[in-house]
Amino acid sequence: MIAFGCALLTGAVPIISVLKRDLIEYVKSGGRSVSGSAAKHRMHSFFVISQVTLSIVLLVLAGVLILNLNAVLKKHVGFAKEGRIAFEVQMPDYRFGGGWDEYKANKLPFMERTIEKLNEMPRVINASASNRIPISPYNMGHSDFAMDHYEYAPEEQRAGALRMVTFPGYFNTVGTKLLKGRDFTDMDNSESEQVVIISQNTMEKYYQDVEPIGQTISFWGKTLKVIGVAEQVQDKPYFMSWDGYTLYFPYKQWDMENNIVNFIVHVEGDPERSIQTLKQAILDVDAKVTMNVHTFDEVFEIATFAQQLPMMMTLFFAFIALMLSGIGLYGLISFTVIERTKEYGIRMALGANPITILKRILKGSGKMIVWGLGIGLLISIVLCVQINPMLSDVNTLNLGVFGIVILFVTGICVVASLLPAIRATRINVIDTYVTNRIILHPLNYRGGEPGKQVAFSPPDRVPIPCRSARLSFDVAGSV
């Protein structure tokens, strides 16, 4: 609807302009004076300035978003992506059962046999499993927890934790460091003491003056002993707001939620080469299971999609706007050159240097470029200040981005102006007179220097000194 309205508006402007013309004056002028009205030139200039302004704004925003995406991609997310593959396997209740007893009797043996099988495969460095993949948008349920050493204030929001159920060796497999304590072992089972590993931000928030190892946490009605602290991980995608914490639980004390287990394998070399072999290894354990396969690189691309899409869209429209501004500026200068061919021909016959003509044309286009740059930069600065809090990984008022955009847009606009301006300096004076049907009357040369105005008759004719011969001509007018 908006596009239709814009098309209707832009189409109506020239139609209204034609309807308002004085046709008699237009015929008398030979189609030149009316088309060269100041109002029309102001309208053309307005459109060109608007296009340059839009190009500046969109390119600056695209540059800022590119910097932000680059910062996100370089940011340490707490795990390694290279060589990691995740096999998301379904364990439906109708086959494996849905209770805790069925979990221990059916699901645990299947997961343990599968991990053992995967670790035996060639090019596999190590394999483990968890209920979800880091930075994945799936299985993101979280719950509140309490700590025995910490008492919440009356108005304080209770801490929420993402629940991660993991196998021994999980942290080593995904490349997450254990900052304190130990990893889970097979001894951490339903018969032993309930244990938990907390995330780095949990320790930094609630254990500033207390050693976390050995402290207890209350979660889902259970009292859990802290045995380790894991490096901070980007648990949720960037496009999802999350300021909570992560708690890790051993797989023998907590079941996998949603009947899904993610077998995570670290392989040597290109992970794509190992997918089919590892997939078959899982099917050898249970041929009826279904699975989805993702490399960690693919999961990371999905998680950063919210940063990539606006950047790509803004960059696309920025180049469209830049192309339109270049075409618009080129078209306007070309139109002006054609419209003023007679004037430029006369100026050159009067002795005007081609460089003077070139400077005169570029001066007009330069004003439009400067106006477009100035307005575009002001709007860009305002927008960058507004979005700065949303992009915490980059300074939106980056001088490098502004400088590159200014040089790029200025270069395109100068080239678009220069091409028709150069063409104007190559006007053939005699051809211009013939094309515009101007009659040249030679005047008798009475002496004096070539190019000097001389006496003439009749008095209504204007003498034009000719630089190429010892003759003077005068313009009799159009016929």
Side-chain angles (χ1 to χ4, degrees), residues 136-441:
S136 168
Y138 307 109
N139 299 337
M140 297 180 298
H142 57 275
S143 303
D144 296 345
F145 66 93
M147 295 149 286
D148 289 349
H149 77 286
Y150 185 88
E151 185 175 346
Y152 291 104
E155 301 297 328
E156 184 179 3
Q157 184 178 356
R158 296 177 68 86
L162 190 69
R163 188 171 74 103
M164 288 284 292
V165 180
T166 65
F167 272 63
Y170 167 81
F171 297 105
N172 188 37
T173 301
V174 299
T176 300
K177 298 177 182 177
L178 275 175
L179 305 180
K180 288 177 176 288
R182 65 173 179 86
D183 194 358
F184 301 124
T185 67
D186 289 332
M187 301 301 295
D188 297 314
N189 53 45
S190 58
E191 305 299 327
S192 64
E193 182 181 24
Q194 299 281 304
V195 293
V196 64
I197 294 176
I198 64 175
S199 58
Q200 182 179 354
N201 63 338
T202 308
M203 178 183 68
E204 293 172 349
K205 173 67 176 179
Y206 297 107
Y207 295 88
Q208 298 178 3
D209 302 319
V210 180
E211 172 58 44
I213 305 300
Q215 298 293 327
T216 56
I217 286 178
S218 298
F219 187 82
W220 283 14
K222 298 181 180 180
T223 300
L224 315 170
K225 180 181 178 181
V226 177
I227 63 168
V229 178
E231 178 184 12
Q232 185 61 40
V233 173
Q234 181 68 38
D235 291 308
K236 290 192 176 183
Y238 289 103
F239 57 82
M240 292 185 174
S241 175
W242 171 245
D243 56 357
Y245 309 94
T246 304
L247 299 181
Y248 299 89
F249 307 93
Y251 78 105
K252 287 186 176 181
Q253 295 181 353
W254 298 77
D255 64 336
M256 299 286 177
E257 58 186 353
N258 299 327
N259 296 326
I260 293 174
V261 59
N262 291 278
F263 295 107
I264 301 172
V265 186
H266 181 197
V267 299
E268 296 176 349
D270 184 6
E272 297 288 343
R273 295 172 52 194
S274 302
I275 288 178
Q276 289 303 320
T277 303
L278 298 176
K279 185 176 180 180
Q280 186 57 51
I282 297 174
L283 294 175
D284 288 343
V285 178
D286 190 326
K288 296 181 180 180
V289 296
T290 58
M291 70 186 79
N292 296 315
V293 184
H294 306 282
T295 64
F296 270 31
D297 288 320
E298 293 171 346
V299 175
F300 191 75
E301 287 182 8
I302 295 173
T304 56
F305 178 74
Q307 281 74 26
Q308 295 183 47
L309 182 60
M311 179 205 70
M312 292 185 292
M313 294 296 291
T314 306
L315 194 60
F316 172 76
F317 287 115
F319 277 108
I320 293 294
L322 182 61
M323 182 180 67
L324 290 176
S325 63
I327 293 174
L329 195 57
Y330 175 84
L332 178 60
I333 302 302
S334 296
F335 175 77
T336 304
V337 168
I338 294 172
E339 186 181 51
R340 303 177 67 178
T341 298
K342 175 182 174 181
E343 175 193 337
Y344 294 144
I346 293 174
R347 288 180 179 276
M348 294 179 70
L350 288 170
N353 192 293
I355 300 298
T356 304
I357 300 294
L358 184 66
K359 290 180 178 179
R360 186 180 183 87
I361 297 173
L362 292 180
K363 182 180 179 181
S365 64
K367 290 181 180 179
M368 291 183 285
I369 296 172
V370 170
W371 272 104
L373 288 174
I375 298 172
L377 288 175
L378 287 176
I379 297 175
S380 299
I381 291 172
V382 172
L383 291 177
C384 287
V385 170
Q386 293 297 318
I387 66 174
N388 193 56
M390 307 177 195
L391 306 177
S392 58
D393 295 317
V394 67
N395 178 20
T396 54
L397 295 175
N398 188 290
L399 296 180
V401 171
F402 281 85
I404 292 173
V405 169
I406 291 172
L407 291 176
F408 188 59
V409 174
T410 302
I412 295 294
C413 291
V414 168
V415 171
S417 304
L418 200 58
L419 294 178
I422 292 175
R423 190 166 63 246
T425 63
R426 298 174 180 174
I427 293 175
N428 186 297
V429 178
I430 302 301
D431 289 345
T432 301
Y433 294 155
V434 173
T435 302
N436 289 272
R437 305 179 70 188
I438 301 173
I439 299 176
L440 305 178
H441 294 269

Side-chain angles (χ1 to χ4, degrees), residues 349-351 441-456 462-474:
L350 288 170
H441 294 269
L443 301 175
N444 292 326
Y445 179 65
R446 300 181 184 176
E449 297 299 325
K452 183 179 180 181
Q453 294 185 1
V454 295
F456 58 91
V462 180
I464 301 178
C466 179
R467 294 180 299 157
S468 58
R470 295 177 63 86
L471 291 172
S472 290
F473 297 92
D474 68 302

Side-chain angles (χ1 to χ4, degrees), residues 60 117 133 216 307:
V60 167
K117 180 74 173 178
I133 308 169
T216 56
Q307 281 74 26

Side-chain angles (χ1 to χ4, degrees), residues 22-63:
D22 186 342
L23 297 181
I24 296 177
E25 180 65 24
Y26 180 74
V27 172
K28 288 171 62 178
S29 65
R32 288 183 291 274
S33 62
V34 175
S35 64
S37 67
K40 188 169 185 178
H41 278 287
R42 283 195 296 268
M43 180 63 70
H44 291 165
S45 299
F46 169 76
F47 284 126
V48 172
I49 291 172
S50 300
Q51 290 167 345
V52 174
T53 299
L54 186 60
S55 301
I56 290 288
V57 173
L58 290 176
L59 283 173
V60 167
L61 292 179

